[in-house]
Amino acid sequence: MGRPPLSSRLTPFVTTIFAEMSALAVRTGSINLGQGFPDTDGPAEVAEAAVRAIREGRGNQYPPGPGIPELRRAVAEHQRRWYGLEWDPDTEVLVTAGATEAVAAALLALLEPGDEVIALEPYYDSYAAGIAMAGARRVPVTLRPDTGAGAPAYRLDLDELRAAVTPATRLILLNSPHNPTGTVLDRTELEAVAALARERDLLVVTDEVYEHLVFDGAHIPLATLPGMRERTVSISSAGKSYSFTGWKVGWVTAPAPLVAAVRTAKQYLTYVSAGPFQYAVAEALALPDSYLTGLRADLLRKRDLLAAGLAEAGLRVFRPAGTYFITADITPLGEKDGVAYCMSLPERCGVVAVPTQVFYDDPDAGRSIVRFAFCKKDEVLAEAVRRLKEGRSA
Ligand code: PMP
Ligand code: GLN
């Protein structure tokens, strides 16, 4: 029994920061602006569709491995209508247990031990764990706050990206709109990624779960760029676009050989999941565009409300172009360390945020930055701001 139970591959990933901070919020009765989930459920008719599917016995037993045909067709139609991408619902679309499983299955399917994966840092926490489970090595490329004129934002350093590629690089794991920074990669950045992938024969896995939560600029799927359709595995899910994060319905679109590879890993992770919810998400994807434009307008208002409030509370706000997160620097408050700040915040003023340094290989790059979620009711955001303003000098 000398050996610890947990594999060394997983020891750095024992608890996710999101679970830890949500538990802290519950324990202290704080307003939870940490873990990103909306405090209002998605459309009632979509919830009804799930209930109807259960009552009518649709999806209560194992659905087909690749996902129910109705949902695969709805995903293909969504990609065609929004982005002009054509995918065959039978061979080029795969339904997964959320984007999380899609990312893990893609990494497990596409990587050999020792391969290198380039990921934008700060990165979503499941990426590091997924890369480690695949026995591969992550190579971060840091998004750095731009301190130049105009609203501060994080940008991708294209020279740094290029320099990160080695003969061992197998794929780039790209997340745009980006969690936690809210960066939406622009066409120049995406074209540089595409050029590099073509030149060095790399695959790209794109995590596009915030595709519809873009306030400034536009979401451009990498697969729409020349030569990228054949080397890109695009991932999204219903959690963010339809405000049902607990349903865990995600999907992959890619050319048939890549989908077949990801499906091979997926069938031994969950095999299938969320039967009745798949029917409901197929209906959600068919909602009129006004639903998504309404969601975006609502979140834009919330972004501006929280951004203004955080600035009034003395933080330096990095205005996000997308997602439902705002990052802010706490240095102007006389604070230096985001972890210490976030651990003391519930006691001090009853608000929970997430320190972003845990999403960096180089914690110094994000030491004083914290993330707040704004997918909450206006009154909840207003109360959080009131508390932060009151607690600033404590
Ligand atoms: N990718 C990113 C960037 C995320 O922020 C999240 C969190 N919701 C996920 C993937 C996971 O998505 P899902 O809940 O569909 O697994
Ligand atoms: N994506 C959510 C966030 O960034 C959390 C999801 C999770 O807890 N795994 O807050």
Side-chain angles (χ1 to χ4, degrees):
M1 292 298 285
R3 208 165 100 177
L6 185 64
S7 152
S8 59
R9 288 195 307 286
L10 288 170
T11 43
F13 309 110
V14 173
T15 25
T16 90
I17 187 73
F18 304 119
E20 192 179 337
M21 298 316 282
S22 281
L24 182 63
V26 170
R27 213 163 53 236
T28 56
S30 296
I31 297 178
N32 188 358
L33 303 188
Q35 191 175 32
F37 61 90
D39 61 0
T40 306
D41 284 347
E45 64 267 40
V46 176
E48 268 319 304
V51 172
R52 217 178 338 108
I54 293 175
R55 289 225 173 90
E56 293 170 2
R58 287 178 293 131
N60 291 334
Q61 309 305 330
Y62 297 132
I68 62 163
E70 291 85 341
L71 179 52
R72 282 185 276 122
R73 281 198 295 271
V75 167
E77 173 57 19
H78 172 274
Q79 297 304 92
R80 193 191 60 72
R81 210 159 53 82
W82 284 90
Y83 310 122
L85 285 164
E86 302 280 348
W87 300 109
D88 176 351
D90 290 332
T91 58
E92 297 182 317
V93 179
L94 172 68
V95 176
T96 57
T100 307
E101 187 197 33
V103 169
L107 296 170
L108 289 166
L110 303 173
L111 295 170
E112 293 292 346
D115 280 347
E116 290 180 1
V117 177
I118 294 177
L120 306 186
E121 176 185 77
Y123 40 73
Y124 183 57
D125 68 345
S126 86
Y127 300 171
I131 294 167
M133 286 192 277
R137 207 169 77 76
R138 69 177 180 276
V139 177
V141 171
T142 308
L143 292 175
R144 293 181 202 284
D146 175 3
T147 46
Y154 298 77
R155 297 279 36 128
L156 177 59
D157 182 328
L158 301 180
D159 293 329
E160 205 180 313
L161 175 69
R162 186 162 281 277
V165 180
T166 77
T169 310
R170 168 67 168 157
L171 68 81
I172 300 175
L173 177 48
L174 203 69
N175 172 216
S176 178
H178 181 263
N179 178 9
T181 66
T183 303
V184 177
L185 296 178
D186 62 21
R187 190 170 285 279
T188 309
E189 289 164 318
L190 292 167
E191 273 173 358
V193 172
L196 200 56
R198 287 190 305 259
E199 198 179 297
R200 304 296 291 264
D201 194 21
L202 307 175
L203 297 173
V204 186
V205 174
T206 62
D207 178 345
E208 305 178 34
V209 297
Y210 298 101
E211 61 187 315
H212 290 296
L213 309 189
V214 174
F215 316 115
D216 308 320
H219 173 62
I220 306 170
L222 192 73
T224 60
L225 270 51
M228 292 312 291
R229 187 188 189 282
E230 59 259 40
R231 58 177 71 250
T232 303
V233 174
S234 309
I235 293 172
S236 192
S237 82
K240 317 293 151 159
S241 300
Y242 299 100
S243 299
F244 285 113
T245 61
W247 288 12
K248 300 296 291 188
V249 177
W251 50 84
V252 170
T253 49
L258 288 171
V259 161
V262 179
R263 190 175 57 236
T264 304
K266 184 246 154 38
Q267 65 192 348
Y268 300 111
L269 293 172
T270 52
Y271 177 48
V272 292
S273 59
F277 294 131
Q278 292 193 30
Y279 287 93
V281 171
E283 291 195 27
L285 284 163
L287 287 174
D289 292 354
S290 55
Y291 161 72
L292 287 168
T293 47
L295 176 75
R296 190 175 55 210
D298 206 35
L299 283 167
L300 172 58
R301 193 190 63 253
K302 292 176 189 297
R303 177 196 71 171
D304 292 345
L305 206 152
L306 185 63
L310 291 175
E312 283 164 25
L315 291 87
R316 179 160 174 268
V317 172
F318 301 104
R319 200 170 70 139
T323 77
Y324 44 49
F325 304 113
I326 293 184
T327 58
D329 194 333
I330 53 175
T331 314
L333 301 175
E335 300 275 350
K336 289 190 174 55
D337 186 79
V339 171
Y341 174 80
C342 289
M343 290 322 249
S344 72
L345 205 54
E347 277 292 301
R348 238 190 313 162
C349 51
V351 174
V352 160
V354 165
T356 70
Q357 65 178 262
V358 301
F359 306 129
Y360 291 82
D361 280 4
D362 171 16
D364 278 341
R367 177 118 9 235
S368 61
I369 315 252
V370 299
R371 189 195 82 174
F372 297 86
F374 57 83
C375 44
K376 308 291 172 183
K377 294 190 181 80
D378 290 3
E379 58 270 28
V380 172
L381 296 174
E383 174 60 17
V385 165
R386 193 191 63 73
R387 292 182 187 189
L388 286 164
K389 281 199 222 162
E390 215 164 67
R392 63 186 293 185
S393 55

